[in-house]
Coordinates of all heavy atoms in Angstrom, one line a residue:
Chain B
S91 N -17.0 53.2 10.9 CA -17.5 52.8 9.7 C -17.4 51.4 9.6 O -18.3 50.6 9.1 CB -16.9 53.6 8.6 OG -17.1 52.9 7.3
Y92 N -16.2 50.9 9.9 CA -16.0 49.4 9.8 C -16.8 48.6 10.7 O -17.3 47.5 10.3 CB -14.4 49.1 10.2 CG -13.5 49.2 9.0 CD1 -13.2 50.4 8.4 CD2 -13.0 48.1 8.4 CE1 -12.3 50.4 7.4 CE2 -12.1 48.1 7.3 CZ -11.7 49.4 6.8 OH -10.9 49.4 5.7
M93 N -17.0 49.1 11.8 CA -17.9 48.4 12.9 C -19.4 48.4 12.4 O -20.1 47.4 12.5 CB -17.8 49.1 14.3 CG -16.6 48.5 14.9 SD -16.5 48.8 16.7 CE -16.1 50.5 16.8
A94 N -19.7 49.5 11.7 CA -21.1 49.5 11.1 C -21.2 48.5 10.0 O -22.0 47.6 9.9 CB -21.5 50.8 10.6
G95 N -20.1 48.3 9.3 CA -20.0 47.4 8.2 C -19.9 46.0 8.6 O -20.2 45.0 7.9
M96 N -19.3 45.7 9.8 CA -19.2 44.4 10.3 C -20.2 44.1 11.3 O -20.2 43.0 11.9 CB -17.7 44.2 10.9 CG -16.7 44.4 9.9 SD -15.1 43.8 10.5 CE -14.6 45.3 11.2
E97 N -21.2 45.1 11.5 CA -22.3 44.9 12.5 C -21.8 44.5 13.8 O -22.1 43.5 14.4 CB -23.3 43.8 12.0 CG -24.0 44.2 10.6 CD -25.2 43.5 10.4 OE1 -26.2 44.0 10.9 OE2 -25.3 42.5 9.7
L98 N -20.8 45.4 14.3 CA -20.3 45.1 15.7 C -20.8 46.2 16.6 O -20.7 47.3 16.4 CB -18.8 45.1 15.6 CG -17.9 44.1 15.0 CD1 -16.4 44.5 14.7 CD2 -18.1 42.8 15.7
P99 N -21.2 45.7 17.8 CA -21.7 46.6 18.8 C -20.5 47.3 19.5 O -19.5 46.6 19.7 CB -22.5 45.7 19.8 CG -21.9 44.3 19.6 CD -21.3 44.2 18.1
A100 N -20.8 48.5 19.9 CA -19.8 49.2 20.7 C -20.3 50.6 21.1 O -21.3 51.1 20.6 CB -18.5 49.4 20.0
V101 N -19.8 51.2 22.3 CA -20.4 52.4 22.7 C -19.2 53.5 22.5 O -18.1 53.2 23.0 CB -20.9 52.4 24.1 CG1 -21.3 53.8 24.6 CG2 -22.2 51.4 24.2
I102 N -19.5 54.5 21.8 CA -18.5 55.5 21.6 C -19.0 56.9 22.3 O -20.1 57.3 21.9 CB -18.2 55.9 20.1 CG1 -17.7 54.6 19.5 CG2 -17.3 57.0 20.0 CD1 -18.7 53.9 18.5
V103 N -18.2 57.3 23.3 CA -18.7 58.6 24.0 C -18.0 59.7 23.4 O -16.7 59.8 23.2 CB -18.4 58.5 25.5 CG1 -18.8 59.7 26.2 CG2 -19.0 57.3 26.1
N104 N -18.8 60.7 22.9 CA -18.1 62.0 22.5 C -18.5 63.2 23.5 O -19.6 63.6 23.4 CB -18.6 62.2 21.0 CG -17.9 63.6 20.5 OD1 -17.2 64.3 21.1 ND2 -18.4 64.0 19.2
I105 N -17.5 63.6 24.2 CA -17.7 64.8 25.0 C -17.3 66.0 24.2 O -16.0 66.4 24.2 CB -16.9 64.7 26.3 CG1 -17.3 63.4 27.1 CG2 -17.2 65.9 27.2 CD1 -18.7 63.4 27.7
M106 N -18.2 66.5 23.5 CA -17.9 67.5 22.4 C -17.3 68.8 23.0 O -17.6 69.3 24.0 CB -19.2 67.9 21.7 CG -19.8 66.9 20.8 SD -21.3 67.5 20.0 CE -22.4 67.4 21.4
R107 N -16.4 69.4 22.1 CA -15.7 70.6 22.4 C -15.8 71.6 21.3 O -16.3 71.2 20.3 CB -14.3 70.5 23.0 CG -13.4 69.7 21.9 CD -12.1 69.4 22.4 NE -11.0 70.1 21.8 CZ -9.7 70.0 22.2 NH1 -9.4 69.2 23.1 NH2 -8.8 70.7 21.6
G108 N -15.4 72.8 21.5 CA -15.5 73.8 20.4 C -14.6 73.4 19.2 O -13.5 72.8 19.4
G109 N -15.0 73.7 18.0 CA -14.3 73.3 16.7 C -14.7 74.4 15.8 O -15.4 75.4 16.0
P110 N -14.1 74.3 14.5 CA -13.5 73.0 14.0 C -11.9 73.1 14.3 O -11.5 74.0 15.0 CB -13.6 73.3 12.4 CG -13.8 74.7 12.2 CD -14.5 75.2 13.5
G111 N -11.3 72.0 13.8 CA -9.9 71.9 14.1 C -9.6 71.7 15.6 O -10.4 71.0 16.1
L112 N -8.5 72.3 16.0 CA -8.2 72.0 17.4 C -9.3 72.7 18.4 O -9.5 72.3 19.4 CB -6.8 72.5 17.8 CG -6.2 72.0 19.0 CD1 -6.3 70.5 19.2 CD2 -4.7 72.4 19.1
G113 N -9.8 73.8 17.9 CA -10.9 74.5 18.5 C -10.5 74.9 20.0 O -9.6 75.6 20.1
N114 N -11.3 74.5 20.8 CA -11.0 74.9 22.2 C -11.6 73.7 23.1 O -12.0 72.7 22.6 CB -11.7 76.2 22.7 CG -13.1 76.2 22.5 OD1 -13.9 75.3 22.6 ND2 -13.7 77.5 22.3
I115 N -11.6 73.8 24.4 CA -11.9 72.8 25.3 C -13.3 73.1 25.9 O -13.7 72.5 27.0 CB -10.9 72.4 26.3 CG1 -10.6 73.6 27.2 CG2 -9.6 71.8 25.6 CD1 -9.7 73.2 28.4
A116 N -14.0 74.1 25.5 CA -15.2 74.5 26.0 C -16.4 73.7 25.5 O -16.3 73.1 24.4 CB -15.6 76.0 25.8
P117 N -17.5 73.6 26.3 CA -18.7 72.8 25.8 C -19.3 73.3 24.5 O -19.4 74.5 24.4 CB -19.7 72.9 26.9 CG -19.0 73.6 28.0 CD -17.8 74.2 27.5
S118 N -19.6 72.3 23.6 CA -20.3 72.7 22.3 C -21.0 71.6 21.7 O -21.0 70.5 22.3 CB -19.2 73.2 21.2 OG -19.0 72.3 20.2
Q119 N -21.9 71.8 20.8 CA -22.6 70.8 20.1 C -22.3 70.9 18.6 O -23.2 70.6 17.8 CB -24.1 71.1 20.3 CG -24.5 71.1 21.9 CD -25.9 71.2 22.1 OE1 -26.6 72.0 21.4 NE2 -26.4 70.5 23.1
Q120 N -21.1 71.0 18.3 CA -20.7 71.2 17.0 C -20.5 69.9 16.1 O -20.1 70.0 15.0 CB -19.5 72.1 16.8 CG -19.8 73.4 17.3 CD -18.6 74.4 17.3 OE1 -17.9 74.5 18.3 NE2 -18.4 75.1 16.1
D121 N -20.7 68.7 16.9 CA -20.6 67.4 16.1 C -21.8 66.7 15.8 O -21.9 65.6 15.6 CB -19.6 66.4 16.9 CG -18.2 67.1 17.2 OD1 -17.9 68.2 16.6 OD2 -17.6 66.7 18.2
Y122 N -22.9 67.5 16.0 CA -24.3 67.0 15.7 C -24.4 66.2 14.4 O -24.8 65.1 14.3 CB -25.4 67.9 15.9 CG -26.8 67.4 15.5 CD1 -27.6 66.9 16.6 CD2 -27.3 67.4 14.1 CE1 -28.9 66.5 16.2 CE2 -28.5 67.0 13.9 CZ -29.3 66.4 14.9 OH -30.5 65.9 14.6
L123 N -23.9 66.9 13.3 CA -24.0 66.4 12.0 C -23.1 65.2 11.8 O -23.5 64.1 11.3 CB -23.7 67.5 10.9 CG -24.8 68.6 10.8 CD1 -24.3 69.6 9.9 CD2 -26.1 68.0 10.2
Q124 N -22.1 65.3 12.3 CA -20.9 64.1 12.3 C -21.5 63.0 12.9 O -21.4 61.8 12.4 CB -19.5 64.6 13.0 CG -18.6 63.6 12.8 CD -17.4 63.6 13.8 OE1 -17.7 63.9 14.9 NE2 -16.3 63.7 13.2
A125 N -22.2 63.1 14.0 CA -22.7 62.0 14.7 C -23.9 61.4 14.2 O -24.1 60.2 14.1 CB -23.0 62.4 16.2
T126 N -24.8 62.2 13.7 CA -26.2 61.8 13.2 C -26.2 61.3 11.8 O -27.1 60.6 11.3 CB -27.2 62.8 13.4 OG1 -26.8 63.9 12.7 CG2 -27.4 63.1 14.9
K127 N -25.3 61.8 11.0 CA -25.4 61.4 9.5 C -24.3 60.4 9.1 O -24.0 60.3 7.9 CB -25.1 62.9 8.7 CG -26.0 63.8 9.1 CD -27.5 63.7 9.0 CE -28.3 64.8 9.4 NZ -29.8 64.4 9.5
G128 N -23.7 59.8 10.0 CA -22.8 58.8 9.6 C -21.3 59.0 10.1 O -20.7 58.2 10.7
G129 N -20.8 60.2 9.8 CA -19.5 60.5 10.3 C -18.4 60.1 9.5 O -17.5 60.7 9.1
G130 N -18.3 58.8 9.3 CA -17.3 58.1 8.4 C -17.9 57.9 7.1 O -19.0 58.3 6.7
H131 N -17.2 57.1 6.3 CA -17.6 56.8 4.8 C -18.7 55.6 4.8 O -18.6 54.8 5.7 CB -16.4 56.4 4.0 CG -15.7 55.3 4.5 ND1 -14.8 55.2 5.5 CD2 -15.8 54.0 4.0 CE1 -14.5 53.9 5.7 NE2 -14.9 53.2 4.8
G132 N -19.4 55.6 3.8 CA -20.2 54.4 3.4 C -21.6 54.4 3.8 O -22.1 53.4 3.6
G133 N -22.1 55.6 4.2 CA -23.6 55.7 4.3 C -24.3 54.9 5.3 O -25.3 54.6 5.2
Y134 N -23.5 54.8 6.5 CA -24.1 54.0 7.5 C -24.8 54.9 8.6 O -24.5 56.2 8.4 CB -23.1 53.1 8.3 CG -22.0 53.9 8.9 CD1 -22.1 54.5 10.3 CD2 -21.0 54.4 8.2 CE1 -21.2 55.2 10.8 CE2 -20.0 55.4 8.8 CZ -20.1 55.6 10.0 OH -19.1 56.5 10.7
R135 N -25.4 54.5 9.7 CA -26.0 55.4 10.6 C -25.4 54.8 12.0 O -25.3 53.5 12.1 CB -27.4 55.5 10.7 CG -28.0 56.2 9.4 CD -27.4 57.5 9.3 NE -27.7 58.2 8.1 CZ -28.8 59.1 7.9 NH1 -29.5 59.5 8.9 NH2 -28.9 59.7 6.8
T136 N -25.4 55.6 13.0 CA -25.2 55.1 14.3 C -26.2 55.7 15.2 O -26.8 56.9 15.0 CB -23.8 55.7 14.9 OG1 -23.8 57.0 14.7 CG2 -22.6 54.9 14.3
I137 N -26.8 54.9 16.2 CA -27.8 55.4 17.1 C -27.1 56.5 17.9 O -25.9 56.3 18.3 CB -28.2 54.3 18.0 CG1 -28.9 53.3 17.1 CG2 -29.1 54.9 19.1 CD1 -29.4 52.0 18.0
V138 N -27.6 57.7 18.2 CA -27.1 58.6 18.9 C -28.0 59.1 20.1 O -29.1 59.5 19.8 CB -26.8 59.9 18.1 CG1 -26.0 61.0 18.8 CG2 -26.0 59.7 16.8
L139 N -27.5 59.0 21.3 CA -28.1 59.3 22.4 C -27.6 60.7 23.0 O -26.3 60.8 23.2 CB -28.1 58.2 23.5 CG -28.5 56.9 22.9 CD1 -28.4 55.8 24.1 CD2 -29.9 56.8 22.5
A140 N -28.5 61.6 23.5 CA -28.0 63.0 24.0 C -28.6 63.2 25.4 O -29.7 63.6 25.6 CB -28.5 64.0 23.1
P141 N -27.8 62.8 26.4 CA -28.3 62.9 27.7 C -28.2 64.4 28.1 O -27.5 65.2 27.6 CB -27.2 62.3 28.6 CG -26.0 62.2 27.7 CD -26.6 62.2 26.3
C142 N -29.0 64.8 29.2 CA -29.0 66.3 29.5 C -28.8 66.4 31.1 O -29.0 67.5 31.6 CB -30.2 67.0 29.0 SG -31.7 67.0 30.1

Side-chain angles (χ1 to χ4, degrees):
Chain B
S91 165
Y92 273 75
M93 278 195 282
M96 294 191 272
E97 301 201 84
L98 287 172
V101 173
I102 298 113
V103 179
N104 181 2
I105 302 295
M106 290 180 282
R107 56 190 250 178
L112 197 51
N114 60 26
I115 57 170
S118 105
Q119 298 184 322
Q120 292 178 272
D121 305 342
Y122 176 93
L123 288 173
Q124 183 197 50
T126 58
K127 308 298 174 191
H131 65 283
Y134 64 94
R135 293 302 170 103
T136 49
I137 297 172
V138 184
L139 306 178
C142 90

